[in-house]
Amino acid sequence: MATYTAFYCVFYDLPQWLEETRGLGPVGAGLVVLPIAAVGAVSTLLATRLQRRRGPRTALIVGTARCASAGCC
C-alpha cells in the first residue's frame, strides 16, 4: 500500500505541485517527471533479470530495501 501511495504522489501529485506552486507548465512538469519514469523502466528491466537469475525472493529484498532507503531521504 505504501508503494502505491508513493507512486501516486510522484506521478500525480508532483506534476500538479510543479504546475501550481512552482509555476511550470504541463510540458515543464512532464519533463521533470520524465527521468523518474525512465529510471522506473530501467529498474523494471534490471529486476526482471535479477529475478530470472536468483529467484523472486532476492528481487523483492533488493526492491524493498531500495524503496525504504529512498523513502528515508
Side-chain angles (χ1 to χ4, degrees), residues 45-70:
L45 294 173
L46 293 174
T48 303
R49 284 188 179 175
L50 180 65
Q51 183 178 356
R52 286 183 185 155
R53 289 186 182 164
R54 302 227 179 196
R57 184 180 184 132
T58 304
L60 287 171
I61 291 170
V62 170
T64 301
R66 294 212 176 186
C67 281
S69 67

Side-chain angles (χ1 to χ4, degrees), residues 1-65:
M1 183 180 238
T3 302
Y4 288 123
T5 303
F7 279 115
Y8 173 82
C9 289
V10 168
F11 290 110
Y12 182 74
D13 284 343
L14 179 63
Q16 257 187 344
W17 178 78
L18 289 169
E19 288 179 18
E20 292 175 10
T21 306
R22 305 300 282 178
L24 293 176
V27 174
L31 289 174
V32 170
V33 177
L34 186 62
I36 299 169
V39 168
V42 170
S43 297
T44 300
L45 294 173
L46 293 174
T48 303
R49 284 188 179 175
L50 180 65
Q51 183 178 356
R52 286 183 185 155
R53 289 186 182 164
R54 302 227 179 196
R57 184 180 184 132
T58 304
L60 287 171
I61 291 170
V62 170
T64 301

